[in-house]
Amino acid sequence: MRALGLLCLASLAGCAASSMAKDAPTQITMAVTSPSPGAELGAGGGSAILVTGTVATTTPDSGAPEAWINGARVDVKNGAFTVAVTPVPGVNHIVVEGGDGIVPLVRQEFDVMWAAAYLPPMTGQTGFALPGALELQLGQRFFDSRLLGTTLDRSTDPIVARDVASALELILWNINLAGLVPGGIQAGQGDTQINLAIQSVTPTSIVADARIVDAPQPAIDLDIDLLGVSLGMGGSVQIAGRSLVVAGGLTADLHMAAEITLGS
């Protein structure tokens, strides 16, 4: 009787173990074998990011392994997938998902850098090793060779801009400055409403200065003055139910400043 009881208990334990194994939840295992997160790609001259990996399920009889890359389903053969992703210059975000068509997908996300003919820096350094190159040493004359505070000579034909500051002045003289404020100016509070259109922006003088500074860090200090700017305006102003028509303008001086940090 004792031996029979032990046999029955062993048999029941075997049945329970078998039942538990059968009902074990499905586990999806996915691995991305390439590229590595943060990889800098494009040095080999390729035109695509090759994403490879594997996906597996602990219950292959229930569902077949599946994979998606950036939302598009890809072929999985013998548990492996390979797909070429069309890159964009700069940072590319890659999303890889795997499953079996039944249980929730598992996901892995990472970023890589891609650039056509990417040239990686030397190991442990910020410089590059080039078989042959042209080195440019740009000084103050390149950015602003004139005396600070002077303007581009526009009396010549053709007008010649010999430095960056002069080129910037020439651009400002030839663009539609009024177009930089599309839609005009609309504002209002309570019973006051302002609706103005900038019809014209006509400066008397434009001065651009660009100087190289060393402290607190190497940079280019850029100053732009638009002097005697005539702003032609139209529109209306409503105050306390009274509407006033705006047809005229004002004259003002405008100043802009920026700093461009230099580094290697």
Side-chain angles (χ1 to χ4, degrees):
M1 290 297 292
R2 180 176 298 179
L4 181 59
L6 291 175
L7 178 61
C8 291
L9 290 174
S11 177
L12 289 174
C15 292
S18 175
S19 176
M20 290 177 61
K22 182 177 180 180
D23 296 336
T26 298
Q27 298 292 328
I28 301 297
T29 303
M30 185 188 68
V32 177
T33 54
S34 71
S36 301
E40 298 167 333
L41 308 174
S47 59
I49 298 174
L50 196 64
V51 181
T52 64
T54 59
V55 58
T57 172
T58 56
T59 56
D61 295 336
S62 300
E66 301 175 338
W68 283 261
I69 296 180
N70 288 352
R73 185 168 178 171
V74 299
D75 292 334
V76 177
K77 297 181 179 179
N78 298 323
F81 58 85
T82 300
V83 65
V85 176
T86 301
V88 297
V91 176
N92 288 255
H93 188 63
I94 308 294
V95 179
V96 182
E97 297 173 297
D100 66 348
I102 301 175
V103 300
L105 299 172
V106 296
R107 170 189 291 237
Q108 182 175 344
E109 300 184 41
F110 57 93
D111 292 329
V112 297
M113 177 71 73
W114 186 91
Y118 176 78
L119 180 64
M122 293 181 289
T123 303
Q125 302 182 39
T126 58
F128 300 87
L130 302 175
L134 178 64
E135 180 181 354
L136 297 177
Q137 295 184 351
L138 304 177
Q140 180 64 50
R141 289 178 58 86
F142 175 78
F143 296 100
D144 196 347
S145 62
R146 305 162 301 162
L147 291 176
L148 297 177
T150 60
T151 61
L152 170 68
D153 184 3
R154 297 192 299 129
S155 65
T156 62
D157 186 13
I159 301 174
V160 179
R162 301 185 184 277
D163 50 50
V164 172
S166 297
L168 181 57
E169 288 182 16
L170 189 58
I171 292 172
L172 291 174
W173 277 116
N174 287 276
I175 65 174
N176 178 17
L177 294 175
L180 300 179
V181 191
I185 302 173
Q186 288 81 35
Q189 184 175 2
D191 58 358
T192 301
Q193 299 292 324
I194 300 175
N195 186 1
L196 299 177
I198 307 298
Q199 299 170 338
S200 63
V201 178
T202 307
T204 300
S205 177
I206 299 177
V207 182
D209 287 329
R211 72 185 77 193
I212 298 177
V213 296
D214 296 324
Q217 58 185 342
I220 301 170
D221 276 345
L222 182 62
D223 292 294
I224 302 174
D225 290 310
L226 279 69
L227 306 176
V229 181
S230 176
L231 299 174
M233 297 185 296
S236 63
V237 177
Q238 293 185 356
I239 302 177
R242 183 182 179 185
S243 180
L244 304 176
V245 176
V246 177
L250 57 86
T251 300
D253 293 336
L254 304 178
H255 175 74
M256 294 170 283
E259 183 180 85
I260 304 174
T261 302
L262 302 177
S264 58

